[in-house]
Amino acid sequence: MPTEQPADLHLASTHPLGPDASVAAFPLGGIGTGNVSIGARGDFRDWELQNSPGKGNLLPFTFCAIDVRPADGAADEAVTKVLEARFPGPHEGEDGYGWGRVAGLPRFASAEMLGRYPLLAIDFADDRVPVRPSLEAFTPLVPLDPAESGLPTAVLRYRVHNPTDRAQQVTLALSLASPVGMDGWRHNGFPTYPTAPSVDYREADGIRGLTFTAAGPTDAFGYGTATLTTLHDDVSVKPQWLAGHWSDGVQAFWNDLTDDGRLEAETKESYDDQPPTGGARIGSLALHRTLAPGETGDFEFVLSWHVPNRHRAWDAGGELYDQVVLNHYATRFTDAWAVAGHVHEHLPVLEASTRGFTDALFDSTLPAEVIDAAAASLSVARSTTCFMIDNGTPEGQFLAWEGSFDRDGSCLGTCTHVWNYAQTLAYVFPSLERSARRNEFLTETDEGGRMHFRSQRVFGGSKPWDFAHPAVDGQLGTVLRMYREWRFSGDDQFLTDLWPKVAEAVDFAFGYWDPDGDLILESVQHNTYDIEFYGPNPLGSVMFYGALRAAAGMAEKVGDQDRAKRYADAASTGAKAMDELLYNGEFYVQKLDDVDAYRYQFGIGVLSDQLLGQFLAHLAGLGHLLDQDHVRSAIKAVYDHNFRSDLSEHVSVQRTYALNDEAGLILCSWPDGGRPKLPFVYSDEVWTGIEYQVAAHLIFEGFVDEGLTLTRAVRQRFTGRNRNPWNEAECGNHYARSMASWALIIACSGFDWDAGTRRLAFAPVVGDQEQPFRTLFTTGTAQGRVTITGESAELTVDHGSLDVAELVINNRSFIPDDQGPVPAGRTVRFTAA
Amino acid sequence: MPTEQPADLHLASTHPLGPDASVAAFPLGGIGTGNVSIGARGDFRDWELQNSPGKGNLLPFTFCAIDVRPADGAADEAVTKVLEARFPGPHEGEDGYGWGRVAGLPRFASAEMLGRYPLLAIDFADDRVPVRPSLEAFTPLVPLDPAESGLPTAVLRYRVHNPTDRAQQVTLALSLASPVGMDGWRHNGFPTYPTAPSVDYREADGIRGLTFTAAGPTDAFGYGTATLTTLHDDVSVKPQWLAGHWSDGVQAFWNDLTDDGRLEAETKESYDDQPPTGGARIGSLALHRTLAPGETGDFEFVLSWHVPNRHRAWDAGGELYDQVVLNHYATRFTDAWAVAGHVHEHLPVLEASTRGFTDALFDSTLPAEVIDAAAASLSVARSTTCFMIDNGTPEGQFLAWEGSFDRDGSCLGTCTHVWNYAQTLAYVFPSLERSARRNEFLTETDEGGRMHFRSQRVFGGSKPWDFAHPAVDGQLGTVLRMYREWRFSGDDQFLTDLWPKVAEAVDFAFGYWDPDGDLILESVQHNTYDIEFYGPNPLGSVMFYGALRAAAGMAEKVGDQDRAKRYADAASTGAKAMDELLYNGEFYVQKLDDVDAYRYQFGIGVLSDQLLGQFLAHLAGLGHLLDQDHVRSAIKAVYDHNFRSDLSEHVSVQRTYALNDEAGLILCSWPDGGRPKLPFVYSDEVWTGIEYQVAAHLIFEGFVDEGLTLTRAVRQRFTGRNRNPWNEAECGNHYARSMASWALIIACSGFDWDAGTRRLAFAPVVGDQEQPFRTLFTTGTAQGRVTITGESAELTVDHGSLDVAELVINNRSFIPDDQGPVPAGRTVRFTAA
């Protein structure tokens, strides 16, 4: 088995990043809460708490300072620094580093960041500082639990070790400009506040800290609160910095901190006659602790926020834009202080779940690149791309953009043809995918079965998203995903509720895309390349056969035997016909007499997505839709023709996601000539979502080496130097399609879970066969891990409860030592039958 | 003499920059024309042709491509690449490299850029390209001639060498989106056009090329034209790319170019039913030439522009903002085609002047860091910081911001206290400084002698710029600069015209700033730190004594003997009194009983600017204003206390222009304690303009080593990796104060020119005394160079005409071989008397 790592493989989750990883930004924040990120220097960046993306958003004078002085020493032995590594440059700027960046304060000589999402760790080092500080930061992530994974909070735990032989008095002082109440962001990254927010010190129930409150009515879109809290006993505080001219506030803060390592409240608001009414308000909270020689101590802050009010629309064009709809989290919590209370109270449990999940993933024997890719994909689910609104149910309504532009969402409506690729939610937060399916079939599928591929009526308006064509891949892929959700959850009521509309959507396909009834789709086929394919081609038809198989399975379950048979027959007949028509002996092509008769076709090119429907069918346990040998040949052809180990001489006039000596898989190539004059508009691009689906599919078909090589190629592009490891962009940051990477775990571990039969299966294809194989897994009710060692296996449940009727490993049944449902924390041993 | 170069000295003008010099941007464009810059990869960036700064402004699909194919070869031997080095990263972006960046086209493996302002040279290399291309680019710079140095044009001369043994058919195809007609710039750097500009091919008088014309009336603020022209014989052209959807246009362009290396016009505007009415319009001009084996050939493009209409105000708050005032260049040329015609016709002469000047500077024996700093300062004069408007005179009115923010001017009104430091214009374009003086004294100095330190009435309104206090350093420095301009030009009429107001401005100082009449200024003194000093301090008073000496000289010339005597006496008496009061044995301090009684003072700190007035006096040939030993001690103290060879542990909460292991001179330090709680707001900052004035002053006082060390410290911060070598920012890019660096040439060469006596003097203090000393120099009428070799000297005039009555070298008179005025191109030999 081919999983030896190349020596030069440096992944962000395995090799610490230095401050020169200038675009690394590790996102904190939960599902549907917005984010604040931490850079490789330990700096706060990309403040996005206000229900909108905000890449580049900075808060002025927001930094953690450390003050260290020997407990028995003189004042001049004190050292005070900003707890960030130095700026790596470029230092260019219209006014250098302007006010608010505090770039002129001394910083640490170096920092090393290791991001194993959702856990961030940064070690700081500086010869002039006698102690060794580090930062551990995370937002709780509880698998299968979007609510507890959707807390608007970030735990910031600074840990300081005293290696000296003297007791050291250590202060961690976190200064924060109000992260709520702004109405815009300037060119330099800093916010504008129409009216200054208030900031106050508060102490209750052992929780103490700062509360920021935006001015204005609580039902305004910009309203919100934020808190910086701690359970730490020994604190000092400067609840509000001097406001007013120039650098008065920061100079007074620094004078105060360096004077004795403790903070005092200012005695006036400003030295000016007229304190400003607008502008930032900054507060500082300092935690103190004396560390004995050799001692290590924690300094824990919790940042929480609560910006409840969203527009009831995707954007200003929406019907109900002027109405407020609550963030789902705002139905649980009244304000940020309430969030903080929940976090402080439940942090041990939340953290244990987070670590259980993270350990199961990162301590697995899966290839490092697979772990790296899959873990990073979790951050998409908790980025500004995804959100949850109040829909009157306890669960709320899940919604998503395709991605996030720097300052706006990108492409509205949980777009079916983009979300086709995404697997992470289906396995880690499956209830969110069910939420999407409910909406797609019950709200966005018209009478007659046409599905709008962007959800607009989900906000409550009456107008669907208006576009000339339905999306063939989106609509049919959604049927496959419906099957995936039902099979994984075993939620038969979910199936029963949606089935009539699922059947309509499938029936629609026959008439609309196959007017000649030959079961090969040939009419205008809008698709994920934002153009229309014409004539027979594998993208639409393979997805059709997958949808038919899935629908046949669901029809059988609901007792619609007619449809079950009709669909199954059509899948077989159609697949055979398509195979005959489009297979060219190596891969599947598009059949067009004149490839230039329409713009944006691909003709006899090798389309990387030609087997996308087959990929989804594998994930759903549906097996091969087409001749297995042809499928294997075709996916291998995709790799052979479209994977480039060096893109320096690649020619593309399109958007560029990989270049120079980077490797990547292009969307299409024409090894036999026949390139259209104007091929489809993304044909020469490289998209991580397609790379992952192809990589996983290669592994499904036995091309493990190729699949892992391709996966490594992707993640080597995301190492913090050139791209953020936690942001795979396509049309927008944190692009949903990139969540195809979770399929790599499924493919590598040969995982399958059928909730109906409670059959759990593994068939690992990676790792050293002489060594135990370990992987994380999820089912509809549990997250666990399994260790497989030849004839035996150990299965541990980290979260939830698992009731397995049959464990199958490499097609052999395994017998448990102990029967019955396995609760969280329990390990059960299995032996080969 | 201490001018041996440190081995690790890498300056942008001596060591070629690679593509990783990602913030290098070499500006093209003339005085008052706006700019387009070229990056170290050979890329076009920062399009600022529309009377406003625009850092980061990009034009979509704007690049030069090279196509090379053997004249006798097969089509598959052709190579086509974008003539830029590859992108160095980071490659992060919300949609990767978006449409318009064409980042997916193959580029050159490497490029090396050497910028010796105003001449840019870039060499490109790539193993796959059989020829060696380079780019030479410049905008003509004619010393003493702002008009010919103010052409809205850029010469782009690609030079290609064929080292192969086959004839190569070479095409240089430059594609350009309309650089005029936009109404805004998006987040991604690309423009928006309210209505599409037109683009046409035109040929007349041997000139051929593309003309872009903005839509809309010719008197609209956004109106303009641009041309891309050539005298090249063999051209092909695609006057307008396909407009419309996606990448149709660029795909069709690339298909066309790579097909046979030549371009054809498109046969339709768009493939869409409705061609868009807005959006960019792109055109391409290709130059063809077959290069024999070993042959080198030029491919010359001229880019010209004409955006005539400015707002008659600094900004939207201005009285006459809605009125149009013409750019001065628009009074010479009717449109861009007219500019292009002038450039093509006069290019040989313009280029000869440019090269004469550049060679005189760069081939001098001045220290490399002095040349580097002085040359870079020329780019400020031709940046968006400076401009010229039509005021009904042939010369026009010179105006300037303090600097340029990324998208707006920074701090209006040719601010007197900032422009105090700037020397470059005074020596290279002295008529512009005279233009400023006319305005300052005749328009901006009220009855009673108070001068508004920001010019606002210059646009014709009646309201001065309203501020509570006049600027002590600005107003008095302007008197010194008046003297400098008069003495350098010998323009007695200029003196006569302005004298009454000069005298009023001087007289005002006695009453306003010295109410107690002790000749030490002590009342509220607003100054260049944007705050007020209180009480006796050297900044205001030394400037006062310099102004008095200068005014005494001018009074004598105009026959105002009373004032001449009064001013001279006051200068002596005051200086003596101040020396006694403020000299602490090492340097000059501020006298305050309680330094914290007012915010923003410096007290007993070492102020880097304490001898700014002395610096200006030296430049004006006025000698020492104060005890010479004290002056020497004080300037040395500035260096000793305020120069930091490493700023890693420097503490500053202010703006940051130098940091980490960089070296720099801070504005103030407190070696003896006494730092105010809130010292003046820039006290901990590092400003190049002050570094240069201190460096030059150190050299004036004999501390040559220290002056050059400081100069090197500055320029080592501007090497393209961390900061743009042609952009020294302070409060804005291209900050005027940085033009203090030209004083380094004056100090190093001991240059002096008194137009009244026609006495020219040199007293070089740098270089190897065993070797000839060579320097560039200017007078009010000429630019020349001198080579001094012991007992003899050779003086060559490159531009203008020079009438020297006496040449003094190291205080010895030199006798010419040939009497009379020396015209351009003539060399005269001098021998020690």
Side-chain angles (χ1 to χ4, degrees), chain A residues 620-798:
Chain A
L622 290 167
H624 281 97
L625 306 172
L626 296 152
D627 179 286
Q628 181 171 344
D629 292 337
H630 291 185
V631 167
R632 280 181 50 95
S633 171
I635 198 68
K636 183 66 166 31
V638 167
Y639 180 83
D640 289 345
H641 296 297
N642 294 358
F643 180 65
R644 305 291 158 88
S645 60
D646 185 312
L647 288 157
S648 300
E649 305 298 328
H650 176 56
V651 175
S652 165
V653 297
Q654 304 170 1
R655 299 171 306 177
T656 307
Y657 302 100
L659 70 168
N660 298 351
D661 61 357
E662 295 177 326
L665 182 90
I666 57 178
L667 265 59
C668 196
S669 73
W670 287 267
D672 305 317
R675 179 183 163 101
K677 283 183 191 156
L678 298 173
F680 72 91
V681 286
Y682 306 134
S683 57
D684 302 315
E685 298 185 359
V686 172
W687 294 356
T688 66
I690 289 180
E691 290 177 299
Y692 290 137
Q693 78 92 348
V694 168
H697 197 174
L698 281 162
I699 295 169
F700 277 130
E701 304 294 349
F703 300 106
V704 179
D705 251 352
E706 290 80 356
L708 295 181
T709 298
L710 180 46
T711 304
R712 286 194 297 272
V714 180
R715 290 306 293 177
Q716 285 184 306
R717 303 199 304 260
F718 291 87
T719 61
R721 156 90 180 67
N722 282 327
R723 296 182 193 82
N724 181 4
W726 302 282
N727 177 10
E728 295 183 9
E730 192 190 303
C731 187
N733 300 297
H734 308 295
Y735 201 73
R737 200 189 320 265
S738 69
M739 288 191 284
S741 58
W742 201 267
L744 292 162
I745 295 182
I746 311 303
C748 287
S749 60
F751 166 86
D752 189 56
W753 167 250
D754 182 343
T757 59
R758 291 186 287 118
R759 177 183 178 276
L760 179 64
F762 297 95
V765 295
V766 295
D768 179 350
Q769 273 187 315
E770 306 301 307
Q771 300 293 325
F773 171 82
R774 279 197 311 279
T775 189
L776 156 142
F777 70 89
T778 52
T779 70
T781 59
Q783 175 259 307
R785 51 187 113 180
V786 65
T787 304
I788 301 170
T789 317
E791 301 293 299
S792 71
E794 275 188 6
L795 190 153
T796 303
V797 171
D798 290 311

Side-chain angles (χ1 to χ4, degrees), chain A residues 552-601:
Chain A
M554 293 184 280
E556 202 148 322
K557 176 69 188 178
V558 300
D560 188 343
Q561 296 304 335
D562 278 0
R563 278 204 173 82
K565 181 166 185 334
R566 183 155 59 87
Y567 292 167
D569 288 352
S572 303
T573 311
K576 194 150 174 295
M578 190 205 91
D579 201 284
E580 269 174 34
L581 185 69
L582 301 185
Y583 189 67
N584 74 353
E586 188 189 6
F587 53 89
Y588 295 94
V589 299
Q590 179 187 28
K591 207 82 186 175
L592 280 176
D593 290 337
D594 173 7
V595 75
D596 289 320
Y598 306 93
R599 272 183 286 177
Y600 313 139
Q601 307 303 301

Side-chain angles (χ1 to χ4, degrees), chain A residues 94 248 272 406 599-600 732, chain B residues 94 248 272 406 599-600 732:
Chain A
E94 62 183 8
D248 288 4
D272 301 309
D406 288 350
R599 272 183 286 177
Y600 313 139
Chain B
E94 62 183 7
D248 288 4
D272 301 311
D406 289 350
R599 271 183 286 177
Y600 313 140

Side-chain angles (χ1 to χ4, degrees), chain B residues 664-734:
Chain B
L665 182 91
I666 57 179
L667 265 61
C668 196
S669 73
W670 288 268
D672 306 317
R675 179 183 163 100
K677 282 183 192 156
L678 297 173
F680 72 90
V681 287
Y682 306 135
S683 57
D684 303 315
E685 299 186 359
V686 172
W687 294 355
T688 66
I690 289 182
E691 290 177 299
Y692 290 138
Q693 79 92 348
V694 169
H697 197 175
L698 281 162
I699 295 169
F700 277 130
E701 304 294 350
F703 301 105
V704 179
D705 251 351
E706 290 80 356
L708 296 182
T709 298
L710 180 46
T711 305
R712 286 193 296 273
V714 181
R715 291 304 294 175
Q716 285 184 306
R717 304 199 304 260
F718 292 86
T719 60
R721 156 91 180 65
N722 282 327
R723 295 181 194 82
N724 182 3
W726 302 281
N727 177 10
E728 294 184 9
E730 193 191 305
C731 188
N733 300 297
H734 309 295

Side-chain angles (χ1 to χ4, degrees), chain A residues 22-23 61 81 86-99 102-107 126 128 187 242 245-248 250-252 254-255 271-272 404-407 529-531 599-600 648-657 659-660 662 675 677-679 681-682 684-685 721-724 727 729-733, chain B residues 22-23 61 81 86-99 102-107 126 128 187 242 245-248 250-252 254-255 271-272 404-407 529-531 599-600 648-657 659-660 662 675 677-679 681-682 684-685 721-724 727 729-733:
Chain A
S22 60
V23 296
F61 304 109
K81 290 207 169 196
R86 292 173 189 148
F87 290 86
H91 306 307
E92 185 89 342
E94 62 183 8
D95 56 353
Y97 289 98
W99 308 103
V102 290
L105 287 176
R107 282 171 165 72
D126 191 297
R128 289 174 169 257
H187 177 67
L242 276 176
H245 269 153
W246 303 111
S247 46
D248 288 4
V250 64
Q251 185 70 68
W254 194 255
N255 291 352
Y271 286 145
D272 301 309
S404 300
F405 285 133
D406 288 350
R407 308 214 156 261
Y529 314 123
D530 298 331
I531 47 80
R599 272 183 286 177
Y600 313 139
S648 300
E649 305 298 328
H650 176 56
V651 175
S652 165
V653 297
Q654 304 170 1
R655 299 171 306 177
T656 307
Y657 302 100
L659 70 168
N660 298 351
E662 295 177 326
R675 179 183 163 101
K677 283 183 191 156
L678 298 173
V681 286
Y682 306 134
D684 302 315
E685 298 185 359
R721 156 90 180 67
N722 282 327
R723 296 182 193 82
N724 181 4
N727 177 10
E730 192 190 303
C731 187
N733 300 297
Chain B
S22 60
V23 296
F61 305 109
K81 290 206 170 196
R86 292 172 189 150
F87 290 87
H91 306 306
E92 186 87 343
E94 62 183 7
D95 57 352
Y97 289 98
W99 308 104
V102 289
L105 287 176
R107 281 172 166 74
D126 191 298
R128 288 174 170 257
H187 177 67
L242 275 176
H245 268 152
W246 303 111
S247 45
D248 288 4
V250 63
Q251 185 70 69
W254 195 255
N255 291 352
Y271 287 146
D272 301 311
S404 300
F405 285 132
D406 289 350
R407 309 215 156 262
Y529 314 122
D530 299 330
I531 48 79
R599 271 183 286 177
Y600 313 140
S648 299
E649 306 299 328
H650 177 57
V651 175
S652 166
V653 297
Q654 303 170 1
R655 301 170 305 177
T656 308
Y657 302 101
L659 70 167
N660 297 351
E662 294 177 326
R675 179 183 163 100
K677 282 183 192 156
L678 297 173
V681 287
Y682 306 135
D684 303 315
E685 299 186 359
R721 156 91 180 65
N722 282 327
R723 295 181 194 82
N724 182 3
N727 177 10
E730 193 191 305
C731 188
N733 300 297

Side-chain angles (χ1 to χ4, degrees), chain B residues 397-411:
Chain B
Q397 172 66 48
F398 173 75
L399 289 169
W401 302 91
E402 292 182 19
S404 300
F405 285 132
D406 289 350
R407 309 215 156 262
D408 291 297
S410 163
C411 302

